[in-house]
Amino acid sequence: MYPDRVVSGMRPTGTMHLGHYHGALKNWIKMQTERPCLFFVADWHALTTHYDDPTIIERSTWDMVIDWLAAGVDPSQATIFIQSRVPEHAELHLLLSMCTPLGWLERVPTYKDQIENITNKDLATYGFLGYPLLQAADVLIYRASEVPVGEDQVPHIEMMREIARRFNHMYGKEPGFEEKAMEAVKKLGSKRAKLYMELRTQYQQEGKEDALLQGKAMLNDAQSLSMGDRERLFGYLEGSRKLILVEPHAKLTEDSRLPGLDGRKMSKSYGNAISLREDRDSVTKKVRTMPTDPARVRRTDPGDPRKCPVWQLHTVYSDEATKDWVVKGCTSAGIGCIECKQPVIDAILAEQEPMRERAQQYLDDPSLVRAIVADGCDTARKLAQETMRDVREAMGLSYS
Ligand code: TRP
Ligand code: SF4
């Protein structure tokens, strides 16, 4: 089976803030230690909405990579690259477009939603409609098993699965597949071959998911199989097709949405964000001027933390003792708001300190960042080319 790869991308459309860190990057940093990860700058995706003013994309790309590195994405563990430097993504997007029904794209909820709600831009473009398919190509080209995304992107992953399934069904008809699969079964040895055929029947006739999982596990353990035979047996287990593309799963980021300075979700467009490497004075000033419970007009007026955005930051950043101190002090007017904000300021500054330090070397020597990305692009391209070889062959484009 293909290795358990993880793929995720981010659009370079502006400065990264702490909301991105808590919502996505922390998760990436954890995943990179667990399995092979590919993280990319989705510059083509950014163009689907910013095609009329791409300058921000170029600027944001390098800043974004520095932010990732600063946050702790580790180029010795994860592959970091720029989408447009791996043009195979575009080739797969084109080939998938041939067999993707228009209705699948028109039905994607984010499409309808954005077409209706974003009125300051003309999004009635071919690129915008097709972007979930481009996203499918981004993931399928690495045969990734997991995609860490937020809730809003889950329908995109569902669509990718359908696309992979349809592709395998349509193009996975290797000549003589059944015969080759049966040859491969024999290579399992008689005991395992028997078990394999039983599990296949259980899955295909009775729909037993367990049997499928058990069969896959057995194939993963079967050392003696060649790559090609293994793939055939995976395909034969599930149906009678070769698996060319792998159906990925969404890995939902646990709800770690960071509230912004006004209590709404942190977002650049709300003007309530703290950027990842914002300077210390500015962080201090922003938190000091945050709104609080409006009932606390005077220092002696008691307040209610539930009506205060500062409290929401305490729930992310403070330990139990501090939170107790806030609740007691606020409701009894025992502490002032400035006092209450200080532990939040300290915690944010402490979180950012290692990021600022890590970023410094890259700011001092931008060639380091260029080299990391160049390496990442090479690695990604090799993997992408492997898949494209199979895809071209399956679609009758290998001309050998
Ligand atoms: N569409 C994603 C977003 O808007 C970015 C993205 C592009 C992506 N390609 C991807 C995310 C592949 C995960 C996997 O945030
Ligand atoms: Fe908000 Fe703290 Fe002031 Fe209470 S004391 S209103 S929680 S800032």
Side-chain angles (χ1 to χ4, degrees):
M1 199 43 173
Y2 301 109
D4 254 352
R5 286 192 195 119
V6 171
V7 173
S8 200
M10 270 188 217
R11 298 166 175 242
T13 49
T15 314
M16 298 205 55
H17 52 64
L18 289 177
H20 295 116
Y21 176 66
H22 285 266
L25 284 176
K26 253 164 79 172
N27 198 37
W28 286 14
I29 291 159
K30 180 163 163 283
M31 291 184 108
Q32 70 183 355
T33 62
E34 298 166 351
R35 53 192 95 152
C37 288
L38 295 121
F39 300 130
F40 68 97
V41 179
D43 55 346
W44 280 336
H45 283 267
L47 275 175
T48 63
T49 48
H50 289 63
Y51 58 88
D52 56 349
D53 180 20
T55 48
I56 184 158
I57 299 174
E58 189 171 10
R59 233 180 316 124
S60 311
T61 290
W62 295 116
D63 278 349
M64 191 160 94
V65 175
I66 293 178
D67 282 334
W68 292 358
L69 296 166
V73 178
D74 176 358
S76 73
Q77 301 190 77
T79 302
I80 300 173
F81 67 100
I82 297 173
Q83 183 186 30
S84 65
R85 295 264 179 95
V86 184
E88 284 78 6
H89 289 224
E91 186 185 355
L92 184 57
H93 176 214
L94 175 83
L95 294 179
L96 293 176
S97 79
M98 305 300 173
C99 55
T100 302
L102 261 185
W104 290 10
L105 293 169
E106 289 162 344
R107 269 205 308 270
V108 171
T110 48
Y111 179 69
K112 289 197 224 150
D113 206 62
Q114 297 193 18
I115 284 283
E116 279 163 25
N117 292 320
I118 300 182
T119 47
N120 58 342
K121 274 182 205 161
D122 181 7
L123 291 181
T125 59
Y126 180 56
F128 187 69
L129 174 68
Y131 105 79
L133 188 63
L134 179 58
Q135 188 174 3
D138 296 336
V139 173
L140 298 178
I141 205 162
Y142 300 106
R143 294 172 163 147
S145 52
E146 280 193 1
V147 191
V149 286
E151 195 98 50
D152 58 320
Q153 301 263 312
V154 171
H156 295 185
I157 311 299
E158 283 306 315
M159 198 193 71
M160 281 177 203
R161 297 169 56 79
E162 284 172 42
I163 286 173
R165 211 173 306 143
R166 186 176 166 90
F167 188 94
N168 289 332
H169 187 76
M170 235 183 245
Y171 304 109
K173 283 176 255 175
E174 191 184 22
F177 177 78
E178 300 256 341
E179 292 75 24
K180 285 185 188 161
M182 290 316 296
E183 283 301 309
V185 172
K186 284 193 200 126
K187 292 184 199 155
L188 285 170
S190 61
K191 217 167 112 199
R192 275 200 291 203
K194 184 158 168 275
L195 178 60
Y196 174 88
M197 292 307 287
E198 277 167 16
L199 293 170
R200 179 175 187 264
T201 310
Q202 283 178 23
Y203 175 66
Q204 294 196 6
Q205 293 183 6
E206 298 157 48
K208 285 193 183 158
E209 290 285 333
D210 275 4
L212 179 63
L213 290 178
Q214 205 188 330
K216 285 186 174 179
M218 180 179 82
L219 293 176
N220 275 327
D221 289 343
Q223 305 287 336
S224 59
L225 289 175
S226 70
M227 262 292 253
D229 276 344
R230 197 186 306 266
E231 279 325 304
R232 274 178 206 106
L233 289 183
F234 274 114
Y236 193 61
L237 186 64
E238 289 189 56
S240 54
R241 296 283 191 271
K242 193 173 164 198
L243 291 185
I244 301 162
L245 299 177
V246 172
E247 291 181 40
H249 295 274
K251 169 114 170 89
L252 271 184
T253 340
E254 62 203 85
D255 193 18
S256 42
R257 145 174 319 186
L258 187 71
L261 296 164
D262 57 1
R264 290 186 290 172
K265 179 187 171 193
M266 188 176 282
S267 158
K268 196 182 56 151
S269 54
Y270 293 159
N272 65 357
I274 295 175
S275 62
L276 209 75
R277 295 177 271 124
E278 184 140 350
D279 76 75
R280 304 173 61 97
D281 291 344
S282 168
V283 171
T284 307
K285 192 162 154 240
K286 278 185 175 175
V287 178
R288 287 226 174 109
T289 52
M290 274 177 75
T292 59
D293 177 0
R296 295 205 73 181
V297 182
R298 282 174 298 263
R299 165 72 177 76
T300 49
D301 296 329
D304 179 352
R306 285 170 302 184
K307 297 181 181 147
C308 176
V310 179
W311 168 249
Q312 293 194 44
L313 289 179
H314 274 294
T315 63
V316 176
Y317 283 105
S318 297
D319 57 19
E320 290 307 318
T322 310
K323 285 190 277 188
D324 265 4
W325 169 79
V326 172
V327 173
K328 289 204 185 89
C330 179
T331 51
S332 66
I335 58 172
C337 290
I338 290 291
E339 239 177 309
C340 177
K341 289 170 171 177
Q342 195 56 45
V344 170
I345 296 173
D346 294 341
I348 296 176
L349 293 179
E351 177 171 77
Q352 289 175 317
E353 201 48 45
M355 301 192 201
R356 267 188 287 266
E357 272 168 32
R358 268 193 296 260
Q360 199 53 50
Q361 53 174 320
Y362 300 113
L363 295 168
D364 293 342
D365 184 0
S367 72
L368 289 176
V369 184
R370 303 296 190 275
I372 287 168
V373 169
D375 261 8
C377 291
D378 281 349
T379 306
R381 247 195 125 175
K382 285 201 189 87
L383 300 174
Q385 280 167 353
E386 279 173 28
T387 309
M388 286 316 295
R389 209 171 302 132
D390 293 350
V391 167
R392 282 191 213 110
E393 187 190 65
M395 292 182 84
L397 300 168
S398 52
Y399 303 113
S400 50

